[in-house]
Amino acid sequence: MSATPRARVALVTLGCARNEVDSEELAARLTADGYVVTTDATGADAVLVNTCGFVEAAKADSVETLLGAVDTGAPTIAVGCLAERYGRTLADELPETTVLGFDAYPTIGEQVAAVLRGERPVSHEPTDRRTLLPISPVERRSGGREVLADLAPGMAPASGPRVLRQRLVGGPVASLKLASGCDRRCAFCAIPSFRGSFVSRDPQDVLAEAAWLAADGVRELVLVSENSTSYGKDLGDLRALEKLLPQLAATDGIVRVRIVYLQPAEVRPSLLEAVLTTPGVAPYLDLSFQHASAAVLRRMRRFGDTDRFLELLASARALAPELGARTNVIAGFPGETRDDVAELTRFLEGARLDAVGVFGYSDEDGTEAATLPDKISATTIARRVERLTSLADEVSTQRAEARIGTEVEVLVEHVSGGLGEGRAAHQAPEVDGSCVIRGSGLAVGDLVTATVVASEGVDLVVEARVPAPMAVTVPA
């Protein structure tokens, strides 16, 4: 590879935790090829932007970030979901930007070298990745088509499971990818078309990466994928996740494992029990309900209704009374009536969720929902989003207040000015609030038992328990 010696590449990451893991895989490849990888674009020789293409707001943010990268004067390269989804169209609209798809990841060092030489690699040509041939064993081991080349020299032992990752941001919490892609066909979602079909990572690779992260100081693993409840189905083992969770929790140095992105329709009783009763696994459910009206859910190509969802949560709380639970819901899906909104309201009032994200529906290119009749006006959608957001904030605040006086285990993530900041078992990074920790001798990475003394919205104030002094025997 003919990269500029020690060229400095800034890697900017947008979107979800899955993108963060992808960026760290890209960083590992670039470092192995002799680049210096940073997250600061100032003075960089090239800027690599890992974009998000999920919804309109995320697309706009990605384009704005790309324009900002171009303004630095450094060659700019777009990768990630927006680049994969729109390819040459994006390149035509942003001619100063090189646009690469997932299949360019294995040779990212060569691609960057070409850009630094003043060349313009051919822009990615999008395709529906659901139509690709079945995944090969080599592709399966690395968790999807976007990371399928041989491992770069020096990035893994000569034999055994592979680890292809370089952490860009330190700290005691890290995401760990279980799988790539999705086999579900939700009417509103375009993700399967550009992320492809669901592909589980080999369990031994997941465990090897967990051990590597623990050796790098990670104390909590957040297991991510497009649909974590599907893990193992393509490996011929529907209970693969139930088997993997206790093994991950037993990883030396790991004190908490958290799993996110669960599909309610795929949450089996045995999986629910494994998530909520395995020591070291956070009693936490990130459930993708999306709505609660049976009629709307059917049009979304999903399943369930208010009563079934409330029964699922009741079963979960029977196993873990202090359960943390969150969801996202969509307001204004085509054909949504006032009765449907009332049903969603009934669900949110009864579900006692710790956090709820409310999103207004918008048409997504290539989705079934974009072709549906009975579209809701933007004004009505905005009004429904405002009303549901207000309700969601109210119920989430009530859940936080109900935790006052209870004990929680908080992982310390920052310490400054005599106070700590961290997250309890019911709080996932970035989305569910945090805890301000009062106590002496706090250190990043500690898992402390604390009493909740106050709340502000979804955030808590906690008092760390002071360890009891050791008994001293006084000679007679």
Side-chain angles (χ1 to χ4, degrees):
M1 211 231 22
S2 54
T4 303
R6 306 302 291 169
R8 190 166 173 270
V9 178
L11 221 169
V12 180
T13 306
L14 304 172
C16 65
R18 299 182 293 275
N19 257 17
E20 293 172 5
V21 177
D22 288 351
S23 285
E24 293 185 352
E25 292 171 349
L26 290 168
R29 295 186 186 279
L30 290 167
T31 299
D33 283 341
Y35 294 93
V36 175
V37 181
T38 177
T39 57
D40 182 5
T42 305
D45 296 297
V47 181
L48 191 66
V49 180
N50 190 352
T51 60
C52 179
F54 181 40
V55 293
E56 286 303 319
K59 296 177 198 174
D61 188 30
S62 293
V63 170
E64 184 177 346
T65 301
L66 287 167
L67 291 172
V70 169
D71 287 343
T72 68
T76 300
I77 303 169
V79 296
C81 293
L82 190 73
E84 174 67 32
R85 188 174 181 185
Y86 293 103
R88 185 169 297 174
T89 299
L90 180 63
D92 290 343
E93 293 180 359
L94 300 175
E96 307 92 338
T97 302
T98 298
V99 179
L100 303 176
F102 293 146
D103 291 334
Y105 285 17
T107 58
I108 192 64
E110 297 173 15
Q111 305 287 345
V112 173
V115 171
L116 290 174
R117 292 193 300 267
E119 301 172 13
R120 184 72 180 269
V122 176
S123 298
H124 166 65
E125 191 66 52
T127 185
D128 188 334
R129 297 183 75 83
R130 292 169 295 187
T131 65
L132 297 177
L133 294 174
I135 298 294
S136 72
V138 172
E139 292 174 310
R140 181 180 302 285
R141 280 181 55 76
S142 56
R145 299 188 196 286
E146 66 267 32
V147 288
L148 55 95
D150 289 340
L151 194 64
M155 298 311 298
S159 62
R162 40 192 266 165
V163 174
L164 179 58
R165 189 163 180 180
Q166 175 185 323
R167 296 191 73 199
L168 293 169
V169 179
V173 181
S175 297
L176 176 56
K177 189 188 289 188
L178 286 175
S180 294
C182 185
D183 286 339
R184 300 189 70 86
R185 295 295 180 262
C186 301
F188 55 82
C189 184
I191 287 177
S193 67
F194 57 86
R195 277 289 185 181
S197 298
F198 187 87
V199 182
S200 299
R201 294 183 65 195
D202 186 286
Q204 294 307 310
D205 286 350
V206 176
L207 290 168
E209 189 166 320
W212 179 84
L213 288 167
D216 195 49
V218 171
R219 303 274 278 160
E220 177 176 325
L221 300 171
V222 182
L223 309 182
V224 300
S225 71
E226 273 73 29
N227 175 11
S228 297
T229 35
S230 283
Y231 181 74
K233 70 176 186 180
D234 54 328
L235 302 176
D237 187 357
L238 287 175
R239 302 193 66 176
L241 183 56
E242 298 163 36
K243 299 172 184 176
L244 184 62
L245 285 173
Q247 295 179 76
L248 287 169
T251 302
D252 220 13
I254 297 301
V255 298
R256 180 187 289 160
V257 175
R258 183 188 306 276
I259 185 165
V260 296
Y261 307 126
L262 303 174
Q263 287 287 345
E266 296 181 22
V267 178
R268 305 172 302 279
S270 59
L271 177 59
L272 194 68
E273 183 175 0
V275 171
L276 299 181
T277 66
T278 300
V281 177
Y284 176 85
L285 294 177
D286 174 12
L287 291 161
S288 176
F289 288 120
Q290 301 300 350
H291 212 282
S293 161
V296 173
L297 287 165
R298 298 303 177 273
R299 287 196 295 276
M300 287 181 168
R301 302 294 183 192
R302 296 176 67 87
F303 304 95
D305 55 37
T306 295
D307 293 335
R308 291 184 189 180
F309 293 162
L310 292 178
E311 287 171 5
L312 173 59
L313 289 168
S315 297
R317 291 189 171 107
L319 293 168
E322 297 304 316
L323 170 77
R326 82 170 326 273
T327 196
N328 294 321
V329 297
I330 297 173
F333 190 79
E336 182 186 66
T337 65
R338 292 179 180 177
D339 286 344
D340 294 326
V341 176
E343 189 66 3
L344 179 54
T345 299
R346 181 170 80 89
F347 168 70
L348 293 177
E349 289 173 341
R352 295 188 295 138
L353 297 167
D354 293 272
V356 181
V358 181
F359 298 90
Y361 171 82
S362 62
D363 285 340
E364 284 296 313
D365 298 335
T367 63
E368 179 186 356
T371 68
L372 292 177
D374 303 321
K375 292 288 177 25
I376 311 299
S377 73
T379 301
T380 299
I381 291 175
R383 186 170 62 248
R384 291 177 181 178
V385 167
E386 182 178 7
R387 189 189 320 153
L388 291 168
T389 298
S390 177
L391 173 60
D393 290 345
E394 180 182 344
V395 297
S396 297
T397 297
Q398 290 172 355
R399 283 293 295 153
E401 291 172 346
R403 294 187 186 274
I404 295 175
T406 66
E407 281 195 346
V408 292
E409 286 193 329
V410 182
L411 180 64
V412 181
E413 298 181 36
H414 306 281
V415 178
S416 178
L419 293 174
E421 181 184 2
R423 288 176 176 82
H426 70 281
Q427 296 171 318
E430 309 298 335
V431 293
D432 293 338
S434 62
C435 294
V436 174
I437 313 162
R438 300 172 183 167
S440 58
L442 298 172
V444 171
D446 285 349
L447 185 68
V448 300
T449 301
T451 301
V452 181
V453 296
S455 66
E456 182 176 347
V458 296
D459 298 324
L460 304 178
V461 178
V462 303
E463 295 275 4
R465 180 192 296 169
V466 178
M470 293 181 62
V472 177
T473 302
V474 179

